[in-house]
Amino acid sequence: MSSETLLPSATPVRFVAEDGSRADEHGGYGEPTGDRLKEAYRLMVLGRRFDVQATALTKQGRLAVYPSSAGQEACQVAAALTLETRDWLFPTYRDSVALVARGLKPGEVLTLLRGDAHCGYNPVETRVAPQCTPLATQTLHAAGLAHAMQRRGEDAVALALIGDGATSEGDFHEALNFAAVFKAPVVFFVQNNRFAISVPFEKQSAAAALAYKGVGYGMRSEQVDGNDAVAVLAVLDDAVKHAREGKGPVLVEAHTYRIDAHTNADDATRYRDAEEVAKWREADPLKRLETFLKSRNLLQDTEIERFAAAAEVFAQSVRDTLNTEPELDPLSLFDHVYAEPTPQLRRQRAALEAELEA
Amino acid sequence: MTTTMAQALNAALRDALKDDDRVLVFGEDVGTLGGVFRVTDGITADFGEERCFDTPLAEAGIVGFAVGMAMGGFRPVVEMQFDAFAYPAFEQITSHVAKLRNRTRGALSLPMVIRVPYAGGIGGVEHHCDSSEAYYTHTPGLRVVTPGTAQDAYDLLRDAIESPDPVVFLEPKCRYWSSEEVTFTRSGPAIDQAVVRRHGKDVTLIAYGPMVATALETAEAAKAEGWDVEVVDLRSLSPFDDETVTASVRRTGRAVVVHEAAGFGGYGAEVVARVTEQCFHQLHAPVLRVTGLDIPYPAPKLERHQLPDVDRILDTIARLQWNDTPVVAGA
């Protein structure tokens, strides 16, 4: 493949301007159907409400921690919507909204962050890998699994979500290289939200865009306005199609912004000014999609009200789920360390059992 | 037939590839070259590139890619080429390989083998001779095994590949070329069992991997001193076979643990603690260790001072309160 065909668009692909009007930087991508965009809008409303609710529950001590993805709903929802049931999603700790959009139950999604278990859902049944806390390590798993599926003749794709900070990790680069060499059907989707905890993108990378990183590995790469749901869906749909057709992996960088702090444990006012945050609030992906859809008569006020009401019901279900503390069995600590417990673990299990009975 | 340890490992890989389509062999140089130690010699030629293939040179990449392939239903056997070269993959091994079963509450397992040629005695330059077992044995979720004989190389590797749990398979480089009679029928003990290599009644030498042969040599030399030495080969470093080890030490009443790795915070400390806890009343003397020095692995011309040898082990056995003389703290 010549390097020209790998190069991303000169400017981020964009269908909708910040004010919701039509933008013309399509980069040759086709516009998703109105139904698909309306579904994206519905899920973004749900995701936004989920995020607000989870953040509130953290303040109430119901969750140990919650890394908000407010402002990144276009990316979160598009990542889930672009995949078929048979495809695998590899999320990070910040990608809870993507899991909600994928159809997982809020209790399953928040198990990790509540502190009940490391993963609240069955990855095999849901085809969602456990949310990954170490940075970029899951990109290699996605590449390996994509290669495995391809070898087995499965028509499935893996999509790995990562942040801008993770692109500095060695595993990210090894994953890109392995995926490209093996032509694995994997999409690496970087949500460049401008901050790795407190470190701004300028201190993270000297690259003009992270999208350029793929070209050096022989991988098709693209950059997209991450707050334009239409553009993100269009680009990801095409990337997944490219991978599914056996044409190799794709790297997509979405330019977006983390509106809230890294987590509730972080004070974002120490490293960025209110003006910057306010500017990005104006670029709100939800408002932008709403204006765009309304202007094209694809979304009615009654539907907006209906989606908002459904999101309220959903938020109530999140609260109900989180208000019930599940009974945790301390003896389950010894399950699933090995296929069969070792003699050492059997002894330790007996000791804990005695301790609990004392 | 008479076979070297490297050939026994090659036979184990071939038999596993034959028996199970899901088994794949990959890593740097394992294909056309047949591995830098020729452990994978001829496998690509005989089984095709689909089953045994070269990867880009990146250890984290090799292990992380193998994690994904195991999630996708394969049983990867990957090679790290040299002990210290595996360190870039350490995060993948400890954070993911060891934990995925636990993180997913049993929904996903990682039946994979990470082959690590390890330890010294081959005149290798730096970063080619580390004994890294303590890093892996300290990580719950991993099985860690190391063969001391060619027969065990075959048996343990077959067992490791069939294990439902990930296995770090430590291959003692200095024994790759030592030959012995091997039967390819897996008649030996199972993967998690230690074995008494030589019976004796006065003292138990506990060794593994490259030190098994040294311990057996020592046992022969000890006859001249009038000591009847029992040698236990651990084979499986994790999980640990307390039963075999404590039964032996209870019989002999004395024990010395031998390994090449640095002693401080090392694997031998765990063995000593376990034996002391379980055999205290049968012990005639404290359990002692003979280990590598607490230094970075030395340059080849000095490595003979690093490696435990027969003399050093005999000197240590001599300190085991044979005449009611108190044991003075060692080096």
Side-chain angles (χ1 to χ4, degrees), chain A residues 189-210:
Chain A
F189 183 35
V190 180
Q191 294 170 79
N192 179 357
N193 68 11
R194 310 295 303 177
F195 288 92
I197 304 189
S198 70
V199 178
F201 180 68
E202 292 67 30
K203 288 185 181 173
Q204 193 65 242
S205 174
L210 293 170

Side-chain angles (χ1 to χ4, degrees), chain A residues 119-120 123-124 130-131 134 137 140-141 143-145 147-148 151-152 171 174 177-178 335-339 342 344 347, chain B residues 24 50 53 56 58 60-62 64-65 68-69 72 91-92 96 101-107 141-142 164-165 240 242 274:
Chain A
C119 181
V124 181
Q131 284 180 277
T137 51
L140 278 162
H141 309 164
L145 183 53
H147 181 60
R151 271 182 172 240
R152 300 169 78 93
D171 282 21
E174 297 188 20
N177 193 40
F178 268 69
D335 301 339
H336 313 305
V337 182
Y338 296 91
T342 62
Q344 286 87 29
R347 282 195 291 273
Chain B
L24 302 173
E50 286 285 298
F53 53 92
I62 292 166
F65 198 71
M69 292 213 60
E91 184 189 15
Q92 285 290 346
H96 296 294
R101 176 188 293 280
N102 189 254
R103 289 169 72 207
T104 63
R105 293 182 283 179
L142 298 177
D165 295 309
F240 184 81
D242 287 284
R274 302 188 83 82

